[in-house]
Amino acid sequence: MKATIAIVEDDTDLLELLEYRLGKEGFDVVGFTNTKNVKQVLTEEPVDLIIMDRNLPDVEGSEYIAMLRYQGLKTPVIFLSAKDSSAQVQEGFLRGGDDYITKPFEIDELILRIKAVLRRTRGEEEEQIVTYRDIELHLHSREAFIAGMPVELTKLEFNLLRTFIENRTTVLRRDYLLKSVWGKSDSYQGRTVNVAINRLKEKIDPDKSKDYIKTVRGIGYMIR
């Protein structure tokens, strides 16, 4: 699966060059000349790495990253900046940078640094796989496979199936599923769980030959 890189750089010539070179390396690239739409994209799309300039027209880049870190941002960040003093480099790391490259720079070195950061972060996440019988869930890419064949699941269905697999020896009550999968129970009813499980069953066992999820009458559900 391709890694997606967001680049925030106000020098449009440099931004275009980075977009071209990283695209040639097989990355999906999203470019910005300021931070105006960065946060929205980070919440809507799976971004694996941010390359952030510090001298931006709207906000200082490391201050912006520090703000996002405070709000819960986990995405790794490489600062690419003309601020090159020892104190400024340390400041970049302290504000949430995972690596720091000073301008002028060699693009080949930047690409090597990108790949190194992704190996430490994205690579570890991709190895997280949950399995049960012939079901396989890839947690980072959120892909599901039944007997090696991909199955399209919604985010809720994926989380529901993961919850069943991780609690495979336990009967799960509807109120537990509402809290752990939906995140709350006040706005939903037990029927919400029933409908979601029936839809999940249709996707992972359309011919009803494998009978993965069992209803335990009066209690809840369990995977078997």
Side-chain angles (χ1 to χ4, degrees), residues 132-137 143-153 161 165 200 203-206 210 212:
Y132 179 73
R133 288 172 57 183
D134 60 351
I135 301 172
E136 190 173 284
L137 301 182
E143 295 175 300
F145 299 87
I146 306 292
M149 298 299 293
V151 178
E152 291 292 332
L153 300 180
L161 184 54
I165 293 174
L200 177 61
K203 290 187 176 182
I204 65 175
D205 187 22
K210 298 181 179 181
Y212 294 112

CSV table of all heavy atoms in Angstrom, one decimal, residues 132-137 143-153 161 165 200 203-206 210 212:
chain,number,residue,atom,x,y,z
A,132,TYR,N,-8.4,-15.0,12.8
A,132,TYR,CA,-9.3,-16.0,13.4
A,132,TYR,C,-9.9,-16.9,12.3
A,132,TYR,O,-10.4,-16.4,11.4
A,132,TYR,CB,-10.4,-15.4,14.2
A,132,TYR,CG,-11.3,-16.3,14.9
A,132,TYR,CD1,-10.9,-17.1,16.0
A,132,TYR,CD2,-12.6,-16.6,14.4
A,132,TYR,CE1,-11.8,-18.0,16.6
A,132,TYR,CE2,-13.5,-17.5,15.0
A,132,TYR,CZ,-13.0,-18.2,16.1
A,132,TYR,OH,-13.8,-19.1,16.6
A,133,ARG,N,-9.7,-18.2,12.5
A,133,ARG,CA,-10.1,-19.2,11.4
A,133,ARG,C,-9.5,-18.7,10.1
A,133,ARG,O,-8.3,-18.5,10.0
A,133,ARG,CB,-11.6,-19.3,11.4
A,133,ARG,CG,-12.1,-20.1,12.6
A,133,ARG,CD,-13.6,-20.2,12.7
A,133,ARG,NE,-14.3,-20.7,11.5
A,133,ARG,CZ,-15.6,-20.8,11.4
A,133,ARG,NH1,-16.4,-20.3,12.4
A,133,ARG,NH2,-16.2,-21.3,10.3
A,134,ASP,N,-10.3,-18.4,9.1
A,134,ASP,CA,-9.8,-17.9,7.8
A,134,ASP,C,-10.0,-16.4,7.6
A,134,ASP,O,-9.9,-15.9,6.5
A,134,ASP,CB,-10.4,-18.7,6.6
A,134,ASP,CG,-11.9,-18.6,6.6
A,134,ASP,OD1,-12.5,-18.0,7.5
A,134,ASP,OD2,-12.5,-19.0,5.6
A,135,ILE,N,-10.3,-15.7,8.7
A,135,ILE,CA,-10.5,-14.3,8.7
A,135,ILE,C,-9.1,-13.6,9.0
A,135,ILE,O,-8.4,-14.0,10.0
A,135,ILE,CB,-11.5,-13.8,9.7
A,135,ILE,CG1,-12.9,-14.4,9.5
A,135,ILE,CG2,-11.6,-12.3,9.7
A,135,ILE,CD1,-13.9,-14.2,10.6
A,136,GLU,N,-8.8,-12.6,8.3
A,136,GLU,CA,-7.5,-11.8,8.5
A,136,GLU,C,-7.8,-10.3,8.4
A,136,GLU,O,-8.4,-9.8,7.4
A,136,GLU,CB,-6.5,-12.2,7.5
A,136,GLU,CG,-5.1,-11.7,7.7
A,136,GLU,CD,-4.1,-12.3,6.8
A,136,GLU,OE1,-3.7,-13.5,6.9
A,136,GLU,OE2,-3.7,-11.5,5.8
A,137,LEU,N,-7.5,-9.6,9.5
A,137,LEU,CA,-7.7,-8.1,9.5
A,137,LEU,C,-6.4,-7.4,9.6
A,137,LEU,O,-5.6,-7.7,10.5
A,137,LEU,CB,-8.6,-7.7,10.8
A,137,LEU,CG,-10.0,-8.3,10.9
A,137,LEU,CD1,-10.7,-7.8,12.1
A,137,LEU,CD2,-10.8,-8.1,9.7
A,143,GLU,N,-7.9,-3.4,6.1
A,143,GLU,CA,-8.3,-4.3,5.1
A,143,GLU,C,-8.7,-5.6,5.7
A,143,GLU,O,-8.1,-6.1,6.7
A,143,GLU,CB,-7.2,-4.6,4.0
A,143,GLU,CG,-6.8,-3.4,3.2
A,143,GLU,CD,-5.6,-3.6,2.3
A,143,GLU,OE1,-4.5,-4.0,2.9
A,143,GLU,OE2,-5.7,-3.5,1.1
A,144,ALA,N,-9.8,-6.2,5.2
A,144,ALA,CA,-10.3,-7.5,5.7
A,144,ALA,C,-10.2,-8.6,4.6
A,144,ALA,O,-10.5,-8.3,3.4
A,144,ALA,CB,-11.7,-7.4,6.2
A,145,PHE,N,-9.8,-9.8,5.0
A,145,PHE,CA,-9.7,-10.9,4.0
A,145,PHE,C,-10.4,-12.1,4.6
A,145,PHE,O,-10.3,-12.4,5.8
A,145,PHE,CB,-8.3,-11.2,3.7
A,145,PHE,CG,-7.5,-10.1,3.1
A,145,PHE,CD1,-6.9,-9.2,3.9
A,145,PHE,CD2,-7.5,-10.0,1.7
A,145,PHE,CE1,-6.2,-8.1,3.3
A,145,PHE,CE2,-6.7,-8.9,1.1
A,145,PHE,CZ,-6.1,-8.0,1.9
A,146,ILE,N,-11.2,-12.8,3.8
A,146,ILE,CA,-11.8,-14.1,4.2
A,146,ILE,C,-11.2,-15.1,3.2
A,146,ILE,O,-11.4,-15.0,2.0
A,146,ILE,CB,-13.3,-14.1,4.1
A,146,ILE,CG1,-13.9,-12.9,4.9
A,146,ILE,CG2,-13.9,-15.4,4.5
A,146,ILE,CD1,-13.8,-13.0,6.4
A,147,ALA,N,-10.5,-16.1,3.8
A,147,ALA,CA,-9.9,-17.2,3.0
A,147,ALA,C,-9.0,-16.5,1.9
A,147,ALA,O,-9.0,-17.0,0.7
A,147,ALA,CB,-10.9,-18.1,2.3
A,148,GLY,N,-8.3,-15.4,2.2
A,148,GLY,CA,-7.4,-14.8,1.3
A,148,GLY,C,-8.1,-13.8,0.3
A,148,GLY,O,-7.4,-13.1,-0.4
A,149,MET,N,-9.4,-13.7,0.3
A,149,MET,CA,-10.1,-12.8,-0.6
A,149,MET,C,-10.5,-11.6,0.1
A,149,MET,O,-11.1,-11.6,1.2
A,149,MET,CB,-11.4,-13.5,-1.2
A,149,MET,CG,-11.0,-14.8,-2.0
A,149,MET,SD,-10.0,-14.4,-3.4
A,149,MET,CE,-11.1,-13.4,-4.4
A,150,PRO,N,-10.3,-10.4,-0.5
A,150,PRO,CA,-10.7,-9.1,0.2
A,150,PRO,C,-12.2,-9.0,0.4
A,150,PRO,O,-13.0,-9.4,-0.5
A,150,PRO,CB,-10.1,-8.1,-0.7
A,150,PRO,CG,-10.0,-8.7,-2.1
A,150,PRO,CD,-9.8,-10.2,-1.8
A,151,VAL,N,-12.6,-8.4,1.5
A,151,VAL,CA,-14.0,-8.1,1.8
A,151,VAL,C,-14.1,-6.6,2.1
A,151,VAL,O,-13.4,-6.2,3.0
A,151,VAL,CB,-14.5,-9.0,2.9
A,151,VAL,CG1,-16.0,-8.7,3.2
A,151,VAL,CG2,-14.4,-10.5,2.6
A,152,GLU,N,-15.0,-5.9,1.5
A,152,GLU,CA,-15.2,-4.5,1.8
A,152,GLU,C,-16.1,-4.3,3.0
A,152,GLU,O,-17.3,-4.7,3.0
A,152,GLU,CB,-15.9,-3.8,0.6
A,152,GLU,CG,-15.0,-3.7,-0.7
A,152,GLU,CD,-13.8,-2.8,-0.5
A,152,GLU,OE1,-13.9,-1.8,0.3
A,152,GLU,OE2,-12.8,-3.0,-1.1
A,153,LEU,N,-15.5,-3.8,4.1
A,153,LEU,CA,-16.2,-3.5,5.3
A,153,LEU,C,-16.2,-2.0,5.6
A,153,LEU,O,-15.2,-1.3,5.3
A,153,LEU,CB,-15.6,-4.2,6.5
A,153,LEU,CG,-15.5,-5.8,6.4
A,153,LEU,CD1,-14.8,-6.3,7.7
A,153,LEU,CD2,-16.9,-6.4,6.3
A,161,LEU,N,-16.0,-6.5,13.9
A,161,LEU,CA,-15.4,-7.8,13.7
A,161,LEU,C,-14.1,-7.9,14.5
A,161,LEU,O,-13.9,-9.0,15.1
A,161,LEU,CB,-15.1,-8.0,12.2
A,161,LEU,CG,-14.5,-9.4,11.8
A,161,LEU,CD1,-15.4,-10.5,12.3
A,161,LEU,CD2,-14.3,-9.4,10.3
A,165,ILE,N,-13.2,-10.8,17.4
A,165,ILE,CA,-12.0,-11.7,17.3
A,165,ILE,C,-11.1,-11.5,18.5
A,165,ILE,O,-10.6,-12.5,19.1
A,165,ILE,CB,-11.2,-11.3,16.0
A,165,ILE,CG1,-12.0,-11.8,14.8
A,165,ILE,CG2,-9.9,-12.1,16.0
A,165,ILE,CD1,-11.4,-11.4,13.4
A,200,LEU,N,-22.9,-7.4,8.8
A,200,LEU,CA,-21.6,-7.9,8.9
A,200,LEU,C,-21.6,-9.4,8.5
A,200,LEU,O,-20.7,-9.9,7.7
A,200,LEU,CB,-21.0,-7.8,10.3
A,200,LEU,CG,-19.6,-8.4,10.5
A,200,LEU,CD1,-18.5,-7.8,9.6
A,200,LEU,CD2,-19.2,-8.3,12.0
A,203,LYS,N,-21.7,-9.9,4.8
A,203,LYS,CA,-20.5,-9.7,4.0
A,203,LYS,C,-19.5,-10.7,4.2
A,203,LYS,O,-18.7,-11.1,3.3
A,203,LYS,CB,-20.0,-8.3,4.5
A,203,LYS,CG,-20.8,-7.1,4.0
A,203,LYS,CD,-20.1,-5.8,4.3
A,203,LYS,CE,-20.9,-4.6,3.7
A,203,LYS,NZ,-20.2,-3.3,4.0
A,204,ILE,N,-19.3,-11.3,5.5
A,204,ILE,CA,-18.2,-12.2,5.7
A,204,ILE,C,-18.7,-13.7,5.5
A,204,ILE,O,-17.8,-14.6,5.4
A,204,ILE,CB,-17.6,-12.0,7.1
A,204,ILE,CG1,-18.7,-12.4,8.2
A,204,ILE,CG2,-17.1,-10.6,7.3
A,204,ILE,CD1,-18.1,-12.3,9.6
A,205,ASP,N,-20.0,-13.9,5.4
A,205,ASP,CA,-20.5,-15.3,5.3
A,205,ASP,C,-21.8,-15.2,4.4
A,205,ASP,O,-22.9,-15.6,4.9
A,205,ASP,CB,-20.7,-15.9,6.6
A,205,ASP,CG,-21.1,-17.4,6.6
A,205,ASP,OD1,-20.8,-18.0,5.5
A,205,ASP,OD2,-21.7,-17.9,7.5
A,206,PRO,N,-21.7,-14.8,3.2
A,206,PRO,CA,-22.9,-14.6,2.4
A,206,PRO,C,-23.7,-15.8,2.1
A,206,PRO,O,-25.0,-15.8,2.0
A,206,PRO,CB,-22.4,-14.0,1.1
A,206,PRO,CG,-20.9,-14.4,1.0
A,206,PRO,CD,-20.5,-14.4,2.4
A,210,LYS,N,-20.3,-20.7,7.0
A,210,LYS,CA,-19.3,-20.7,8.0
A,210,LYS,C,-19.8,-20.4,9.4
A,210,LYS,O,-19.1,-20.7,10.4
A,210,LYS,CB,-18.2,-19.7,7.6
A,210,LYS,CG,-17.5,-20.2,6.3
A,210,LYS,CD,-16.4,-19.2,5.8
A,210,LYS,CE,-15.8,-19.7,4.5
A,210,LYS,NZ,-14.7,-18.9,4.1
A,212,TYR,N,-19.8,-17.7,11.5
A,212,TYR,CA,-18.8,-17.2,12.4
A,212,TYR,C,-19.4,-16.6,13.7
A,212,TYR,O,-18.8,-16.8,14.7
A,212,TYR,CB,-18.1,-16.0,11.7
A,212,TYR,CG,-17.3,-16.4,10.5
A,212,TYR,CD1,-17.7,-15.9,9.2
A,212,TYR,CD2,-16.1,-17.1,10.6
A,212,TYR,CE1,-16.9,-16.2,8.1
A,212,TYR,CE2,-15.3,-17.4,9.5
A,212,TYR,CZ,-15.7,-16.9,8.2
A,212,TYR,OH,-15.0,-17.2,7.1
